[in-house]
Amino acid sequence: MTPDRERRTLVLSAFPAEADAVLSHTTLDPNPVVVAERRHFYLGSISGRKVIVAMTGIGLVNATDATETAFARFTDASSIGIGAVVFSGVAGGAGRTSIADVAIPARWTLDNGTTFHPVDPGMLTTAEKLSAALTNVNLQRRPQVFVGGDGCSSDNNNGVAFPCIPNGGDVFGCQPRSAPDRSFRHTGNFFQAVAPWLKNALISNLNIRLTSNPAFDATDMETAAAQAVADAHGVPFLGIRGISDGPGDPLHLPGFPFQFFHYMRIAARNAARVTAAFLQSWDGV
């Protein structure tokens, strides 16, 4: 990377509610929007640190594609480069974690624990010292940040991209509600992805697991895929996940997806708060 290039932290989230939580902490640049391969990237700063904020879309394929597109766009041909990657979003909890907690695993797996890939040790050390005010959703306990342990990423999409839905709301929509270029005409990957997904993944997505594997502090559908791209580029990576479903539910809802839709905004906000605190404390990029 040439000395005059500006390095920024790429902050990723999967769906609109997660990205909106991150953008709520982001001071956008005067001309913040960069578009590459139909994906929208937002330039700004969080806690004084220069960032590129992006929404990947749901699932492993989308996470891989968005992260690869970011590295392809912000390369030697650009005045801005990517110096680190942070994924901020929600996850299923088990093991040590409960609803509204935030997990920052030390390593992630894409194959249900057969192999693991560690996050950046310097970023993890910074995370161990974090203090952030977390929303407690009347849990009669104080949510905690759990640093270390394991995270797992998988999906039921059989190797195809999950299609966003134009104007599909906080989970399935194609843009964050607070995006500076928000448009009701924005269709994301819908027209490219919907037919392959209906053919190859609709039935498999009906196989829903109500609970997460207690071997993992966080289970999601994107983090490890984004990490694999960051690792391939030799860039430090950290995943920060607020727990949206799992133990500790005061309403005793019947697991995923019922807990997810009830608690995902709180989990996303807690993850974003920890992400902002991390970026303020980290002395990296």
Side-chain angles (χ1 to χ4, degrees):
M1 186 171 291
T2 56
D4 58 341
R5 291 186 71 219
E6 178 184 68
R7 296 199 303 169
R8 297 192 180 212
T9 300
L10 175 65
V11 182
L12 300 171
S13 296
F15 56 81
E18 294 176 335
D20 280 321
V22 171
L23 287 170
S24 73
H25 294 271
T26 305
T27 301
L28 294 171
D29 288 359
N31 298 297
V33 181
V34 175
V35 180
E37 300 294 330
R38 298 190 305 274
R39 293 191 174 276
H40 293 219
F41 300 90
Y42 305 114
L43 306 181
S45 59
I46 298 176
S47 301
R49 188 175 297 278
K50 291 290 187 179
V51 296
I52 306 164
V53 177
M55 192 182 89
T56 65
I58 295 169
L60 299 175
V61 172
N62 282 328
T64 298
D65 179 69
T67 313
E68 288 180 341
T69 298
F71 276 101
R73 172 59 180 82
F74 300 100
T75 64
D76 291 338
S78 168
S79 60
I80 297 172
I82 297 172
V85 180
V86 174
F87 208 112
S88 177
V90 310
R96 299 181 298 167
T97 54
S98 299
I99 287 172
D101 290 339
V102 174
I104 308 178
R107 58 183 192 167
W108 287 86
T109 179
L110 271 168
D111 53 19
N112 202 39
T114 301
T115 58
F116 285 94
H117 298 275
V119 302
D120 180 75
M123 297 174 88
L124 194 68
T125 297
T126 297
E128 290 171 344
K129 304 171 185 177
L130 290 180
S131 175
L134 303 182
T135 301
N136 66 24
V137 297
N138 299 318
L139 294 172
Q140 300 179 344
R141 64 176 179 83
R142 178 174 293 180
Q144 301 179 62
V145 178
F146 289 92
V147 181
D150 296 333
C152 178
S153 299
S154 62
D155 65 26
N156 293 329
N157 295 316
N158 294 326
V160 298
F162 188 94
C164 68
I165 300 174
N167 307 307
D170 285 343
V171 175
F172 302 112
C174 298
Q175 272 189 306
R177 292 182 184 271
S178 57
D181 61 343
R182 178 167 170 77
S183 169
F184 290 114
R185 294 178 293 178
H186 182 68
T187 59
N189 73 341
F190 178 77
F191 290 108
Q192 295 75 30
V194 65
W197 186 84
L198 289 172
K199 178 181 178 181
N200 298 296
L202 174 61
I203 300 301
S204 60
N205 267 265
L206 299 178
N207 181 23
I208 295 175
R209 290 178 292 180
L210 292 177
T211 59
S212 297
N213 187 333
F216 306 113
D217 288 333
T219 57
D220 65 47
M221 295 191 287
E222 298 88 20
T223 304
Q227 179 190 23
V229 178
D231 287 351
H233 286 268
V235 168
F237 179 89
L238 190 70
I240 299 173
R241 289 285 183 167
I243 304 305
S244 58
D245 47 281
D249 179 5
L251 299 179
H252 304 291
L253 297 173
F256 182 89
F258 306 97
Q259 290 177 330
F260 168 82
F261 283 104
H262 188 80
Y263 294 111
M264 58 92 177
R265 292 176 185 83
I266 290 166
R269 288 197 291 269
N270 280 350
R273 287 174 179 177
V274 172
T275 296
F278 169 79
L279 291 172
Q280 185 174 37
S281 300
W282 185 44
D283 61 1
V285 176

